Amino acid sequence: MIAKIGSGKSTSGLIRYLYDTKKAKDHTDPHLVASWDGFSPDPGRADDFEATKRRLVADLDLHVKQAERLGRAPEKHVWHCAIRAAETDRLLSDEEWGDIARRVVAATGIAPESDQDGCRWVAVRHAPDHVHIAATKVRADLRTARHWNDYLTADRELAAIEKEYGLLQVARGDRTAAKRPTRAEQEKAKRAGQDRTARERLRTTVRTAVAAATSTEEFIRLLEHADGILIDVKHFPSGDVRGYTVALQGDTNGKQEPIWYSGSELSPDLSFPKIRKRLDATDQQQGPSRTNPWHQATAAVERIPHRLDQADDTAAQAHLAALGEALDALPLIEPQNLRSQLHQAAAVFERATRSRIHAEHHHARALRGAVRAMLREPFPRDGALLAMFLDAALLAVIAAARWHDVRHQEQQAMAAKQTLIHLHAAYDQAAVVPLATLAQRKPPQQTVDRHVLHVQQTLPEHAEQVVNDPAFDALATVLTDAETAGHDAQQLLRQAANQRVLDDARSLAKTLAWRVHRLAQRPAPSDRARAAQARSTDQHPAMPTHTTPTAPIRLAPGTRRR
């Protein structure tokens, strides 16, 4: 069940709306199901509708009129709460809706249970699946009702009602979600022929700038260069940046002035202080690096499931935020045919990157640094790099959904699960050509048989599944390539398997192929190093090392240089 709560100035206007059956076509048979005293006049069941409606309004406004004579009535004295059941819920009776209404007004402080001085209220049902509660906020003792945080208290009560009544248990948030577009914003976007509101488009642009920037100065510069974006930077008297607001060119109010949004109005994590904290925790190592930034980013993402299994929730939250930034960055550098799915994956996962848990962002330096380095590299011709990264990201998002589930962060868990739909679609498309290319280079059968033996010895519990996978030819190819480069194929296979979360992989052979492919890009170890590595792998799961590359910046598409 979902509650929507608002305030107003006219009791008569609200009652008129609740009983209207002409303008509101979905209003059928409006009638009372409960009231403050159980004896309120019901216009929907009276012979003289208008007279009864006036009596009901007068009864509801009694204490408001008394408080007005004393100068103590609130300006917005009407409290309105709409409660809607889910489409899949059974049809509730009038008695059940009345009980739900009584519990909600008690929980919110409008009419606490056993409080004879509580506010006057009525519950009107004019459709099968929802009920409206109309109340006036002045109590019988002429004090204004204490109903602070009424949305949260109503939501908690509805959660209990759902369990007791056997109704759909709605995923509830923790007030860390980005603000939803208003109806006015949605209608304005439709009139302009846009599928998203200005607020949503600005949120995406700002998140992308955060993902691309290595400092707050660069973040502001990227927004200044972005097409169609206006930015107003606020400064302290000292000259230091205090904050920023952004607007879309052409998005104006009635006075033809730009409509500005602060970062926090776009999303709780896009305020300037929070952005600065994240960017300050980004690796900015100087000097060239031989490590491919795609390999480094993939290695960092592969470690996320392990990080989420640890006891440090603040570090885990930081890794989820960094994973969100990586997904935000992908559409900037990937082929046009994949951008739609990648954009949608990033947009949906955004909800899974925030919770009430404070993020210690320095824990995710490696991934952030690698993502920034990826943006500054030429577009990769090897499609295997993207497929490899997305394969690791899928397992990380599965782990994220599980992490949120355990902590009862329902909206975040649902967002992570929905992200998988778009990531799977992008991965399936990105992996087709690289896997086919690898499979075409399948080694001789004698070599394949040797790799089958390696799999049986290294992964006895998964061997049959791996060997029978259509992608095994690609795995055999990368193992052969690794041997040609001087690596021990079985040792690489063991190292790849020790990176955990294989149980979550849709295709073990594909996941192992990408991991071995990445690990084989490193210089082959010496015999002495290989022996030491084998002893270490037998004792501890392998965790890849990492460095942060730096390179000249390549501005994101859709920006312009001065």
Side-chain angles (χ1 to χ4, degrees):
M1 285 186 159
I2 297 296
K4 184 177 181 181
I5 298 175
S7 296
K9 298 180 180 180
S10 173
T11 307
S12 177
L14 176 56
I15 295 301
R16 184 185 311 114
Y17 163 74
L18 296 182
Y19 280 92
D20 175 56
T21 58
K22 295 180 181 179
K23 294 182 180 179
K25 300 300 182 182
D26 60 337
H27 291 191
T28 58
D29 187 27
H31 59 280
L32 289 184
V33 295
S35 66
W36 77 95
D37 61 358
F39 300 102
S40 298
D42 182 1
R45 294 291 185 264
D47 294 333
D48 190 337
F49 175 82
E50 289 296 333
T52 307
K53 185 183 71 174
R54 288 193 293 271
R55 285 174 50 210
L56 177 60
V57 170
D59 287 352
L60 286 169
D61 275 345
L62 174 63
H63 300 313
V64 176
K65 299 299 183 184
Q66 293 172 334
E68 282 178 347
R69 290 196 290 269
L70 299 175
R72 292 163 54 180
E75 181 182 3
K76 291 187 175 182
H77 65 267
V78 177
W79 187 84
H80 178 204
C81 176
I83 306 171
R84 185 178 297 273
E87 292 183 1
T88 56
D89 285 340
R90 62 181 175 82
L91 186 65
L92 298 172
S93 67
D94 283 353
E95 291 73 18
E96 289 173 315
W97 275 120
D99 178 61
I100 291 169
R102 279 185 285 270
R103 292 177 61 168
V104 168
V105 294
T108 55
I110 292 296
E113 192 174 2
S114 302
D115 184 352
Q116 300 299 319
D117 289 331
C119 298
R120 295 191 166 193
W121 62 273
V122 293
V124 179
R125 184 181 188 181
H126 58 204
D129 64 345
H130 66 278
V131 68
H132 291 260
I133 304 173
T136 47
K137 298 181 185 179
V138 179
R139 294 162 45 85
D141 56 12
L142 302 190
R143 292 186 293 122
T144 301
R146 300 166 62 90
H147 60 98
W148 298 303
N149 288 325
D150 48 11
Y151 174 79
L152 285 180
T153 52
D155 200 48
R156 293 193 194 104
E157 189 64 27
L158 290 177
I161 288 170
E162 289 167 354
K163 293 180 181 179
E164 294 176 25
Y165 278 69
L167 306 176
L168 175 69
Q169 296 184 32
V170 177
R172 288 180 158 78
D174 54 6
R175 306 188 82 178
T176 61
K179 183 178 179 180
R180 292 182 179 181
T182 65
R183 175 65 64 85
E185 290 173 338
Q186 292 173 337
E187 293 299 327
K188 186 176 182 180
K190 287 181 181 179
R191 291 194 298 271
Q194 299 289 340
D195 59 349
R196 294 186 301 159
T197 65
R199 185 194 303 270
E200 292 169 313
R201 293 161 63 193
L202 287 168
R203 183 186 305 140
T204 298
T205 301
V206 173
R207 286 182 63 85
T208 303
V210 174
T214 57
S215 64
T216 53
E217 293 78 14
E218 186 177 16
F219 164 72
I220 291 172
R221 187 168 67 251
L222 288 174
L223 288 181
E224 289 174 339
H225 293 170
D227 292 330
I229 301 297
L230 304 175
I231 180 170
D232 181 22
V233 182
K234 317 292 184 182
H235 295 86
F236 288 110
S238 63
D240 294 334
V241 176
R242 175 172 60 88
Y244 71 99
T245 56
V246 287
L248 279 181
Q249 288 182 355
D251 182 40
T252 58
N253 57 21
K255 299 179 180 179
Q256 298 304 305
E257 300 169 335
I259 299 176
W260 296 94
Y261 297 87
S262 66
S264 59
E265 288 176 319
L266 299 178
S267 181
D269 59 341
L270 293 182
S271 68
F272 189 76
K274 290 185 178 180
I275 289 175
R276 179 168 52 202
K277 188 172 183 179
R278 289 157 67 184
L279 294 179
D280 287 348
T282 300
D283 272 346
Q284 300 182 40
Q285 185 173 341
Q286 301 299 317
S289 171
R290 293 184 299 173
T291 305
N292 184 308
W294 282 88
H295 291 162
Q296 183 194 355
T298 301
V301 171
E302 284 176 344
R303 289 192 290 271
I304 288 178
H306 170 68
R307 306 298 190 197
L308 299 184
D309 284 340
Q310 307 304 303
D312 190 346
D313 280 1
T314 60
Q317 185 65 57
H319 286 290
L320 293 179
L323 178 59
E325 290 181 20
L327 297 181
D328 287 332
L330 283 182
L332 298 178
I333 49 181
E334 289 313 321
Q336 185 69 37
N337 63 323
L338 295 179
R339 286 181 187 167
S340 175
Q341 293 291 355
L342 293 175
H343 268 302
Q344 291 180 70
V348 175
F349 192 72
E350 179 255 354
R351 182 65 189 99
T353 62
R354 291 189 308 278
S355 72
R356 285 291 180 184
I357 298 171
H358 175 72
E360 294 289 350
H361 291 293
H362 64 274
H363 290 287
R365 287 180 183 274
L367 179 54
R368 281 199 170 89
V371 168
R372 271 73 176 176
M374 284 162 50
L375 293 172
R376 290 155 177 79
E377 288 283 316
F379 180 80
R381 295 182 179 179
D382 184 2
L385 292 175
L386 174 61
M388 182 191 313
F389 180 88
L390 291 178
D391 183 74
L394 281 166
L395 298 179
V397 172
I398 291 172
R402 187 180 299 120
W403 189 82
H404 285 305
D405 266 333
V406 169
R407 285 153 187 80
H408 306 291
Q409 295 167 355
E410 297 170 337
Q411 287 188 357
Q412 291 90 332
M414 184 178 296
K417 293 169 185 175
Q418 291 173 341
T419 302
L420 292 172
I421 299 172
H422 305 295
L423 275 186
H424 275 308
Y427 170 77
D428 289 341
Q429 192 172 352
V432 170
V433 173
L435 285 172
T437 302
L438 289 171
Q440 287 173 359
R441 297 196 296 109
K442 177 183 175 181
Q445 190 59 45
Q446 183 178 0
T447 304
V448 172
D449 292 341
R450 182 159 45 81
H451 293 321
V452 169
L453 182 60
H454 290 157
V455 171
Q456 291 171 340
Q457 293 173 341
T458 305
L459 295 163
E461 68 280 15
H462 298 297
E464 183 176 358
Q465 181 182 353
V466 173
V467 172
N468 292 329
D469 194 308
F472 182 72
D473 289 347
L475 175 58
T477 299
V478 297
L479 288 170
T480 303
D481 290 346
E483 287 182 330
T484 303
H487 291 278
D488 182 322
Q490 187 170 4
Q491 180 64 29
L492 281 187
L493 188 62
R494 183 181 298 112
Q495 194 174 348
N498 282 341
Q499 289 173 5
R500 301 177 177 83
V501 295
L502 282 177
D503 289 340
D504 291 332
R506 286 198 303 176
S507 168
L508 292 180
K510 291 179 183 178
T511 296
L512 290 170
W514 298 131
R515 291 181 181 180
V516 171
H517 181 69
R518 178 179 60 78
L519 294 171
Q521 303 306 308
R522 301 173 179 175
S526 64
D527 292 341
R528 183 176 180 181
R530 187 178 291 120
Q533 186 183 52
R535 291 193 299 270
S536 175
T537 303
D538 288 338
Q539 298 174 12
H540 305 285
M543 298 300 292
T545 57
H546 57 275
T547 56
T548 302
T550 57
I553 184 170
R554 181 173 67 84
L555 286 177
T559 61
R560 59 180 185 271
R561 298 179 185 273
R562 285 182 174 174

